[in-house]
């Protein structure tokens, strides 16, 4: 299992180790990479990074819960929901954007761009996603808020868990878990609204008339949210999530990470009021950085796989140092290169522009630009032609040659369109539909629909034709023009 190793010099010659290795050293007789979860009681801390987390928690949860209820004006007969994955209609709606199944390349572009953005963010700022925006982190934070509401802060929760069963303990625990379940149910409920019209579904859901998939999806999301955010928490990040292991490939010595400045903090030890700060470090070994950590680790042990770079230990340490009258920043967002430079008495240099960040930025710009260009320039209508394979052509009694085709016209607009179809490539050819004598083909395509039509192209007997003639169909409706290439087969012996 790859780990991030803190290579900065350490006076006590200790190396940073992973959680699994530390577990083995604490009496895990059976060894292995997993041990039963030990409850972690993170203490509430105040500071700028905690405020950032509060702001992002409110913002991300608001987007998740509110988005399905945003209405968006579309013509009658179309979904009025701003964001909707319509499996029944085989469409994806996002405000003014409407995507069809065959436009999966746009989804692919968005996903690749999102991955590259995550890679770039990680290379620059470390595990910023994990600490502030990951759903596991956001919902776990919300669950901890509920836990504090019913059971109090760290010490009160520890005392309650150790106390014998009582009415006070029962109602607090029951209230907490019921609220957790309510949040989990709201999470699963909000998710299914992205796949059905929200006002309709919320009515049919409670009377048993919603689709079975809605009930199954809601139940699964409720269970996973309750278990992952309420019971497993840090184990999801440590043992289940692959990102802590993958992100090591994107970090280097210039990536910002939460770092304990060992050269300033050591030697650590208790400090009494009035004592001198000479010949000692600024760390008073108060362990506040440990008790506020939602992962239960000690950042002073160096870089660790479990650290999600949430910055709460930074707030806790700065608060203590402020009370002691010492400069803040003993634990801070820093880079390994800057730490090593200061240890050697050199000036710390931060390099956001380096080879890997340039690669990620260029790739992100290319993929994002190409995806955006494909979205903006995609046609409002498509024409596809399928030529008859059997028979490939028919020679009429008067010597004329007729080929059969199936046309499929896609109308991606929200208005009904009248398409005039023409055939280009064979001089004097006549375009018609079965059972009609009209010399032109006109197709009415409803809004946001595909219409198929069978047509014939008949070349006159005196036409000078090769056995295979390149041709094309053209469909025009106002300013919308679409075309599709095909061939006209005549069976002529002279290929020309």
């Amino acid at each position: 299992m790859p780990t991030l190793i803190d290579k900065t010099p350490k006076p006590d010659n200790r190396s940073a180790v992973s959680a699994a290795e530390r577990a083995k050293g604490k009496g895990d007789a059976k060894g292995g990479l997993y041990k039963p979860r030990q409850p972690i009681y993170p203490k509430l801390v105040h500071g700028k990074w905690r405020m950032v987390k509060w702001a992002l928690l409110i913002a991300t949860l608001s987007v998740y819960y509110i988005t399905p209820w945003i209405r968006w004006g579309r013509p009658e007969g179309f979904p009025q929901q701003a964001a909707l994955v319509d499996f029944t209609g085989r469409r994806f709606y996002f405000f003014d954007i409407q995507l069809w199944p065959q436009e999966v390349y746009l989804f692919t572009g968005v996903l690749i761009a999102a991955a590259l953005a995550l890679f770039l963010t990680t290379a620059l700022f470390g595990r910023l996603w994990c600490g502030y925006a990951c759903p596991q982190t956001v919902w776990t934070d919300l669950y901890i808020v509920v836990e504090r509401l019913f059971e109090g802060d760290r010490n009160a929760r520890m005392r309650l868990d150790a106390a014998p069963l009582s009415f006070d303990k029962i109602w607090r625990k029951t209230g907490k878990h019921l609220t957790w379940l309510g949040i989990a149910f709201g999470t699963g409920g909000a998710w299914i609204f992205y796949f059905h019209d929200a006002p309709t579904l919320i009515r049919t859901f409670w009377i048993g008339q919603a689709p079975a998939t809605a009930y199954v999806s809601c139940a699964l999301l409720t269970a996973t949210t309750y278990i992952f955010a309420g019971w497993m928490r840090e184990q999801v990040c440590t043992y289940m999530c692959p990102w802590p292991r993958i992100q090591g490939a994107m970090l280097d010595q210039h990536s910002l990470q939460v770092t304990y400045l060992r050269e300033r903090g050591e030697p650590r030890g208790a400090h009494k009021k009035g004592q001198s700060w000479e010949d000692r470090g600024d760390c008073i070994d108060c362990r506040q950085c440990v008790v506020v950590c939602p992962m239960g680790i000690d950042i002073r042990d160096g870089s660790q796989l479990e650290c999600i770079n949430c910055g709460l230990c930074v707030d806790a340490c700065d608060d203590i140092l402020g009370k002691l009258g010492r400069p803040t920043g003993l634990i801070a967002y820093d880079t390994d290169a800057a730490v090593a430079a200061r240890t050697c008495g050199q000036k710390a240099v931060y390099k956001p522009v380096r080879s890997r960040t340039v690669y990620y930025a260029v790739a992100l710009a290319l993929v994002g630009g190409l995806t955006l260009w494909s979205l903006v320039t995609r046609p409002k209508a498509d024409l596809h032609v399928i030529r008859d394979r059997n028979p490939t052509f028919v020679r009429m009694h008067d010597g004329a040659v007729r080929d059969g085709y199936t046309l499929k016209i896609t109308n991606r607009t929200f208005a009904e369109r009248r398409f005039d179809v023409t055939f280009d490539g064979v001089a004097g050819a006549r375009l018609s539909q079965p059972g009609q004598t009209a010399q032109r083909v006109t197709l009415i395509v409803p809004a946001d629909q595909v219409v198929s039509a069978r047509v014939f192209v008949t070349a006159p007997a005196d036409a000078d034709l090769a056995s295979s003639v390149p041709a094309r169909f053209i469909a025009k409706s106002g300013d919308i023009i679409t075309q599709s290439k095909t061939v006209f087969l005549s069976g002529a012996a002279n290929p020309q």
Side-chain angles (χ1 to χ4, degrees):
M1 180 177 66
T3 59
L4 296 175
I5 304 299
D6 183 1
K7 296 182 179 180
T8 55
K10 301 175 177 59
D12 54 3
N13 295 320
R14 294 184 299 174
S15 298
V17 295
S18 69
E21 293 169 325
R22 290 196 303 275
K24 289 180 181 180
K26 293 181 180 179
D28 188 1
K30 295 182 180 180
L33 298 179
Y34 179 83
K35 69 172 184 176
R37 179 177 185 267
Q38 296 179 353
I40 295 175
Y41 304 89
K43 180 182 177 181
L44 178 63
V45 63
H46 302 282
K48 62 180 179 180
W49 299 115
R50 178 66 266 184
M51 292 301 296
V52 171
K53 284 177 67 67
W54 286 135
L56 288 175
L57 182 147
I58 294 171
T60 52
L61 289 179
S62 297
V63 169
Y64 178 74
Y65 288 115
I66 294 174
T67 299
W69 297 96
I70 300 176
R71 302 290 91 189
W72 196 254
R74 299 189 181 96
E76 186 177 355
F78 291 93
Q80 303 301 305
Q81 189 162 306
L84 178 66
V85 181
D86 185 6
F87 281 122
T88 303
R90 290 180 295 182
R91 301 287 186 274
F92 171 75
Y93 300 94
F94 186 74
F95 295 89
D96 275 335
I97 299 173
Q98 178 198 200
L99 300 181
W100 291 50
Q102 55 265 42
E103 294 175 313
V104 66
Y105 61 90
L106 292 173
F107 290 103
T108 304
V110 170
L111 292 176
I112 294 175
L116 290 171
L118 182 58
F119 297 165
L120 177 61
T121 301
T122 302
L124 289 170
F125 308 112
R127 293 179 65 181
L128 196 66
W129 163 263
C130 295
Y132 293 91
C134 174
Q136 174 66 19
T137 298
V138 171
W139 263 272
T140 297
D141 264 1
L142 180 60
Y143 271 43
I144 292 176
V145 170
V146 173
E147 196 169 56
R148 288 196 185 103
L149 179 65
F150 282 94
E151 300 179 4
D153 204 3
R154 170 183 165 83
N155 293 337
R157 297 201 303 274
M158 294 174 68
R159 288 194 300 269
L160 185 67
D161 282 356
L165 194 63
S166 63
F167 175 78
D168 182 67
K169 185 173 183 177
I170 291 174
W171 85 260
R172 291 181 183 278
K173 293 288 186 182
T174 302
K176 178 185 74 173
H177 285 282
L178 288 177
T179 307
W180 280 0
L181 284 170
I183 294 172
F185 180 73
T187 302
W191 176 254
I192 62 177
F193 290 148
Y194 284 91
F195 300 87
H196 303 272
D197 182 66
T200 302
L201 182 61
I202 200 171
R203 290 193 301 268
T204 59
F205 187 89
W206 296 107
I207 59 177
Q209 295 181 359
T213 53
Y215 295 104
V216 173
S217 300
C218 183
L220 287 175
L221 263 295
T222 298
T224 52
T225 303
Y226 176 70
I227 293 171
F228 289 169
W231 291 94
M232 298 186 67
R233 294 187 179 178
E234 73 285 346
Q235 288 187 308
V236 174
C237 303
T238 304
Y239 296 106
M240 295 178 62
C241 180
W243 183 238
R245 292 148 180 85
I246 297 173
Q247 55 90 30
M250 291 137 206
L251 297 174
D252 58 23
Q253 67 271 26
H254 296 289
S255 301
L256 281 170
Q257 300 182 72
V258 174
T259 305
Y260 169 64
L261 305 183
R262 184 174 293 274
E263 72 279 3
R264 176 186 156 187
E266 302 295 331
R268 73 184 74 156
H271 179 270
K272 295 182 180 179
K273 186 176 181 179
Q275 279 186 330
S276 172
W277 290 94
E278 296 293 332
D279 299 324
R280 59 156 296 145
D282 282 346
C283 179
I284 63 171
D285 205 16
C286 63
R287 293 183 57 83
Q288 290 303 300
C289 57
V290 179
V291 298
V292 302
C293 179
M295 302 299 292
I297 64 171
D298 189 341
I299 193 62
R300 297 173 298 177
D301 290 337
S303 299
Q304 296 158 64
L305 178 146
E306 301 90 341
C307 180
I308 61 173
N309 278 220
C310 62
L312 297 183
C313 55
V314 178
D315 286 340
C317 187
D318 284 353
D319 181 58
I320 295 298
L321 291 173
K323 294 176 180 178
L324 294 173
R326 303 296 295 172
T328 59
L330 178 58
I331 300 176
Y333 283 96
D334 211 336
T335 68
D336 290 344
V339 171
R342 285 193 296 269
T343 301
C344 298
Q346 301 172 358
K347 182 180 179 180
V349 178
Y350 296 94
K351 294 178 59 178
V353 179
R354 49 193 192 274
S355 58
R356 72 173 61 213
T357 59
V358 171
Y359 297 153
Y360 291 146
V362 170
L364 175 60
L366 289 175
V367 173
L370 182 60
T371 302
L372 183 60
W373 177 83
S374 300
L375 177 64
V376 172
T377 61
R378 63 178 181 154
K380 296 180 180 179
D382 276 335
L383 172 63
H384 295 278
V385 177
I386 304 173
R387 190 178 55 79
D388 288 357
R389 295 180 178 272
N390 188 22
T392 54
F393 66 92
V394 174
R395 189 168 296 279
M396 312 299 286
H397 67 280
D398 59 355
V401 179
R402 188 180 75 184
D403 283 11
Y405 302 86
T406 298
L407 308 182
K408 290 188 175 182
I409 299 182
T410 302
N411 177 14
R412 290 199 178 92
T413 68
F414 288 119
E416 182 179 270
R417 289 281 182 175
R418 180 190 183 97
F419 287 89
D420 293 323
V421 182
T422 58
F423 181 80
D424 180 36
V426 177
R430 179 169 54 88
L431 181 63
S432 62
Q433 288 185 267
Q436 298 181 9
T437 59
Q439 297 298 308
R440 58 183 294 180
V441 173
T442 300
L443 300 177
I444 305 298
V445 185
D448 198 44
Q449 295 295 324
V450 179
V451 167
S452 297
R454 183 165 168 73
V455 299
F456 294 129
V457 177
T458 305
D462 58 354
D464 187 14
L465 298 174
S467 60
S468 177
V469 180
R472 61 176 178 167
F473 282 92
I474 302 172
K476 184 177 181 180
S477 174
D479 61 340
I480 299 177
I481 301 176
T482 180
Q483 58 183 313
S484 180
K485 294 181 179 180
T486 185
V487 294
F488 183 86
L489 300 182
S490 65
N494 178 19
Q496 290 189 359

